[in-house]
Amino acid sequence: MRKVYEYPKSRAAFERACKLIPSGIYGHQGPAEGCYVPVEAFPLYSSRAQGSYLWDLDGNKFIDYMAAYGPNVLGYNDPDVDEAAARQRAISDCTTLPNPVMVDFADLLVETVACADWAFFAKNGNDVTTCAVMTARAYTHRKKIVFFKGYYHGVSPWTQKIDYAGILEEDVQNNLYVTWNDFDELQEVFEKNKGQIACVIAQPYMHGNFADNELPAEGFWKKVRKLCDDTGTVLIIDDVRAGFRLDIAGSDHYFGFKADLICFCKALANGYNVSALCGRDFLKNAVSSLSFTGSYWMSAVPFAAGIACIQKMKRLNCPQLLIDKGTKLKNGLIATALKYGYDLHVSGVPSLFYLRIADDPTLMLHQEWIAECVKRGVFFTNHHNHFINASLTDEDIEDTLEIADEAFMVVKDRHS
Ligand SMILES: Cc1ncc(COP(=O)(O)O)c(C=O)c1O
């Protein structure tokens, strides 16, 4: 039996943080939005990371399947990316004029991403989804945006919901919501809003929280693409989360269609802070016309890191490598669950797998099993997809399956 972790230093740090920082840890890395329930099962602060591993403040080691919620694609502290970043840092980073490494990065993205004729850089995923929607509105001179229910495109007011704190009715009054994979409903919405829809914004497949992740239905993307073409609507793919974990040329390419605009962030530079909006030629003037920039958006170090990251992802055939590792883990987890009579559903593309124990619709049983995994050194979270990184070894997968087995055993015993 494995040692069961405890987190006294994490708890003390969180208590201190709560006095100084709103929510202590806000957003997706905090216990509330990160869905760290039961909260006592989870560490809250890390002390260091290397490859596939994360150490918490109490010195407990985890095989980390959250990968910083995506950015860790090659392994923490990847030597090639870090060396490229260090070389650039020795020359310049945040300066009055941009460094031409920015142009090199754009060049590499245009060469790599199937629908890209240009690249525009920012810092976070939200920056580029916002830039994409503004571009579509500037180009079409229309107001309305179509979303698929279950989406997440960041935190700007346009992408939040009417009942969220701080959001005005006006912020979201041009938003239209349709059911993922329901083309008839989408067509109806287009009929009712003729000549008013600027864009459809969508993840390449439905990788939302609290629900099994859903791939596009056969022919779905082809029909959406045609509908957008026929109505002069801009098709935006939000590849912030899935980007480069399905296809190095973009997730639209993986599913056999071409986006007009595509948003990247998480896996773009292995943790260095940069995001990119790429798009087709006909939208280049519209992006240029926006008033949209930021203090650190042209920093050179993340561009150098991004170049090294994409080059290495290409050398490793990274998306396939991640899908293969994810498939191995997925099959092992399903078989382990079955041994104890549990029906573990693993959905989404295996490089971004989503877990749910289907035997209990309240999801409490699932939370119990996740908690027992976390307390033994496998960092899963409850109702969010997970992320495979390229440094994950076969031994890590074996170790994960052993821990998952022990966690199922504990849960089974408790409920027998
Ligand atoms: C699909 C998707 N779009 C946009 C975002 C927003 O990215 P960021 O948090 O970097 O602003 C995220 C972040 O998780 C995301 O998963």
Side-chain angles (χ1 to χ4, degrees), residues 124-127 129 152-154 203 207 238 240-241 265-266:
N124 289 301
N126 184 76
D127 300 333
T129 54
Y152 181 69
H153 300 304
Q203 296 153 183
H207 49 60
D238 177 354
V240 165
R241 192 180 309 183
C265 182
K266 290 175 186 287

